[in-house]
Amino acid sequence: NSVKLMQYIQNMNREVFEGEPFYYGGALNYAGANIEMIVKKMQRKMDAGCSYFLTQPVYSDEDIERVRQLKEMTGAKIICGIMPLVSLKNARFMKNEMPGIHVPDKIVERYTADMKREEAERTAVEISVEIGKKMADFADGYYIMTPFHRVQLVNRIINGLRQR
């Protein structure tokens, strides 16, 4: 499991890679029902040398608050996932077919079936920037997942996050 792997790497860092250690992070499944169990798992990973956590893409205010709460409870470094939804079909797919990712209806409803690509991409950037700004006070960074090789969206999102 992930904790055992981290413990193994932690031992390798002490015994083999002293002076040039590996730095590693872990997945943060923030959506579990029992927040105390999530905190315990995070702490086990941190005790095993986990330097930071990566979230799934975050879309809902409830998930933003959950990640904020986990940050406050653990003091862990958390890098928040942002993935722009580039069309109604993409938003519906993420909502209905991706376990562990919660896309609220109010996000899906910002897209229409007849949207032109440019309009849908503009909406994707707006949503991504809105979400990123909501997490700015506690996120230790972001990683942006680029859908369908649309790398130009990344620059637009980064520029939007820079604006205050």
Side-chain angles (χ1 to χ4, degrees), residues 3-35:
V3 174
K4 288 191 183 299
L5 176 62
M6 289 177 187
Q7 290 168 340
Y8 178 76
I9 297 169
Q10 186 178 44
N11 286 333
M12 294 288 289
N13 278 343
R14 283 190 214 116
E15 297 170 9
V16 179
F17 304 116
E18 187 178 358
E20 292 186 23
F22 279 87
Y23 293 92
Y24 44 94
L28 172 54
N29 178 8
Y30 56 80
N34 186 335
I35 195 164

Side-chain angles (χ1 to χ4, degrees), residues 96-123:
N96 297 318
E97 304 297 332
M98 296 302 292
I101 298 175
H102 176 239
V103 180
D105 290 336
K106 70 179 186 175
I107 297 285
V108 176
E109 291 165 0
R110 290 177 67 175
Y111 296 87
T112 62
D114 62 344
M115 276 182 145
K116 302 276 188 254
R117 179 178 172 143
E118 297 78 23
E119 183 182 2
E121 286 184 356
R122 186 170 43 255
T123 301

Side-chain angles (χ1 to χ4, degrees), residues 137-157:
D137 65 324
F138 68 87
D140 292 291
Y142 307 100
Y143 72 104
I144 302 171
M145 293 159 261
T146 312
F148 310 109
H149 307 290
R150 296 189 192 180
V151 295
Q152 77 281 5
L153 293 178
V154 174
N155 283 336
R156 293 169 59 194
I157 292 168

